[in-house]
Amino acid sequence: MKIELKNFGVVKYFKFDVEKDFNIIFGKNNTGKSYATSAVYLIIKNLLNIEEIFLFRYFISDFNFDERFIDFQKELETKKTVSIKKELEALLIDLLSKIFLTELQESFKNSFDSIENLQNKLTSEKLEIRILSNLINFTIK
């Protein structure tokens, strides 16, 4: 998995490859090395916690399985083969937007004081976090 940060505070671009055994981060003082590695840590921490959060928060409090998939169940009854790609994509998007992003925003707010402060003030470019893996790629703006 790779994590990319663009326009994150003083950092114009930062890429971290989680699959590598060894990463070297170097640069002059006050160029955002610690800032970027703190963000990567928070992203990884929240990704690792997503399974527990998903099981306890999503299914128990925010998710009604029967209502969500009633159309899918009807389709299963009338057809021999059904594609579940659309339903799985919708579930994954819900999982990422309702849980992961909420938890990540809270972590960033606790660590960096304010989410608004994460935007690079020197450029007009928007903050962007990209997570790239073999299973899924997504961008947070």
Side-chain angles (χ1 to χ4, degrees), residues 34-109:
S34 297
Y35 202 66
T37 54
S38 294
V40 168
Y41 165 77
L42 293 172
I43 292 166
I44 293 170
K45 177 183 166 197
N46 282 283
L47 284 172
L48 291 173
N49 289 333
I50 201 166
E51 182 179 359
E52 179 183 330
I53 294 166
F54 177 70
L55 291 174
F56 291 106
R57 283 197 187 161
Y58 199 63
F59 269 122
I60 292 171
S61 64
D62 297 336
F63 188 73
N64 188 328
F65 189 82
D66 292 333
E67 287 179 22
R68 174 90 184 233
F69 288 98
I70 199 160
D71 293 335
F72 179 65
Q73 289 171 337
K74 286 179 185 176
E75 197 174 335
L76 274 174
E77 292 170 2
T78 59
K79 297 180 180 178
K80 291 185 179 180
T81 59
V82 176
S83 172
I84 61 169
K85 180 180 177 186
K86 185 172 65 173
E87 287 77 14
L88 289 175
E89 284 177 348
L91 180 63
L92 188 56
I93 288 168
D94 260 5
L95 170 66
L96 291 172
S97 62
K98 286 184 178 176
I99 297 173
F100 176 70
L101 286 179
T102 302
E103 295 295 320
L104 186 62
Q105 284 177 332
E106 190 63 30
S107 293
F108 276 19
K109 194 164 53 170

Side-chain angles (χ1 to χ4, degrees), residues 6-41:
K6 292 182 182 178
N7 302 306
F8 187 80
V10 297
V11 178
K12 178 81 173 148
Y13 179 79
F14 183 84
K15 184 175 183 180
F16 189 85
D17 191 343
V18 176
E19 295 172 13
K20 300 288 184 190
D21 291 334
F22 190 73
N23 288 281
I24 297 175
I25 301 166
F26 62 94
K28 295 180 181 179
N29 290 343
N30 298 318
T31 57
K33 298 179 300 294
S34 297
Y35 202 66
T37 54
S38 294
V40 168
Y41 165 77

Side-chain angles (χ1 to χ4, degrees), residues 110-126:
N110 291 336
S111 296
F112 299 111
D113 189 39
S114 170
I115 294 172
E116 291 78 29
N117 290 339
L118 300 177
Q119 175 73 35
N120 189 326
K121 304 289 189 229
L122 302 175
T123 68
S124 60
E125 308 244 352
K126 298 289 183 189

